[in-house]
Amino acid sequence: MVGRRPLIAGNWKMHKTPAEAREWCAGFRTRLPSFPPGVDVVVCPPFTALEPVSTALRGHPSWVAAQTISDQPSGPYTGEISASMVFSCGARGTILGHSERRAMGETDEMVAARVRVALDAGLRPIICIGESLAERESGVTTEVLTAQLESILAVVHENEVDRIVIAYEPIWAIGTGRTATPEMAQVAVADIRIAAAARLDASRLRILYGGSVTPATARELLVSPDIDGALVGGASLDPESFAMIVEAAG
Ligand code: PEP
């Protein structure tokens, strides 16, 4: 990851009330008042805990991101949350295109629209791409990743490369306890970097791995030359295990 800052992001998914979120923040701050120099740490709570987490982490080096945003600025979209709403709750980034949202109907076009909205609103998007088990077993992983990536990069300007993060998340590894081997993850992430080079300076693009990362597997994944950090689901819910993964990135 020459020249690229490592980034560890915790995706809490639909877990933790505001009170539980504050308790997590207190535990995390105590356990890890500072990070190894140069590591970015991002906490992605549900919408209802964005403001409490932003407040509880004030003065701490980690920053806060949402788990998605609407592609609309405001209007008759019941249940949706806009970029400016999450920004006003302290979010400075957002996960986009998570496979759990794609499974509910989010298309590449919808993800791309949200990427553009996030960038225009001053949010740093962490954009997920990944293949299913069936796609991997049919040998089309590279094609699937390239198509998802091209749709995203079509809306990103070359000078925005430092503001976006790609998360390679093989769907079969998310929440299953089945982590990709470091070799598999490195090959896929290197392929993503090669594909990105057609559009921008890919040597500056941060690409994370996500999928059942734990304190036990983090270090061997993070030493891979193209992997710039991790998007962590289940293991981010406990401040101790999340802190151990952050330490593995230092
Ligand atoms: C995720 O939600 O992005 C994720 C990678 O989850 P887990 O770490 O639980 O597999």
Side-chain angles (χ1 to χ4, degrees):
M1 61 174 91
V2 182
R4 298 185 297 269
R5 284 170 74 89
L7 186 150
I8 305 295
N11 174 17
W12 290 2
K13 312 192 190 204
M14 197 170 70
H15 293 287
K16 297 196 189 294
T17 63
E20 290 164 345
R22 278 189 285 268
E23 193 183 328
W24 184 99
C25 293
F28 188 58
R29 288 189 79 130
T30 306
R31 172 63 177 76
L32 214 55
S34 61
F35 309 136
V39 179
D40 274 341
V41 177
V42 188
V43 182
C44 310
F47 293 129
T48 45
L50 278 174
E51 205 280 328
V53 169
S54 301
T55 303
L57 291 179
R58 199 164 286 154
H60 191 255
S62 50
W63 49 280
V64 178
Q67 296 176 13
T68 188
I69 53 165
S70 169
D71 60 1
Q72 298 297 319
S74 64
Y77 304 102
T78 303
E80 294 293 297
I81 305 277
S82 72
S84 63
M85 288 171 177
V86 301
F87 192 94
S88 71
C89 290
R92 293 296 174 262
T94 182
I95 297 172
L96 290 172
H98 193 283
S99 62
E100 288 158 9
R101 297 203 57 81
R102 291 179 188 260
M104 290 187 284
E106 237 175 66
T107 61
D108 282 343
E109 293 67 33
M110 292 161 79
V111 175
R114 285 161 166 74
V115 169
R116 193 59 256 159
V117 167
L119 287 167
D120 290 341
L123 294 170
R124 284 179 273 182
I126 300 170
I127 312 148
C128 304
I129 62 176
E131 82 287 1
S132 66
L133 188 57
E135 288 163 341
R136 174 161 284 269
E137 286 175 349
S138 336
V140 294
T141 298
T142 305
E143 289 80 352
V144 168
L145 296 177
T146 303
Q148 291 176 345
L149 184 75
E150 278 177 356
S151 153
I152 292 157
L153 295 187
V155 301
V156 175
H157 306 139
E158 265 180 67
N159 63 2
E160 291 173 322
V161 61
D162 301 317
R163 294 186 52 213
I164 68 166
V165 174
I166 301 293
Y168 166 57
E169 295 217 314
I171 298 168
W172 47 269
I174 298 175
T176 58
R178 187 176 166 193
T179 318
T181 64
E183 294 73 27
M184 282 160 97
Q186 165 59 28
V187 167
V189 170
D191 278 350
I192 294 168
R193 199 175 299 289
I194 290 166
R199 289 231 171 231
L200 37 72
D201 178 0
S203 69
R204 286 163 56 197
L205 179 64
R206 286 195 288 185
I207 309 177
L208 316 181
Y209 167 77
S212 297
V213 175
T214 64
T217 57
R219 202 172 290 278
E220 60 181 10
L221 286 158
L222 296 175
V223 294
S224 299
D226 278 289
I227 298 178
D228 303 318
L231 179 52
V232 184
S236 71
L237 294 173
D238 170 37
E240 173 61 28
S241 61
F242 191 56
M244 288 169 78
I245 294 171
V246 171
E247 285 169 335

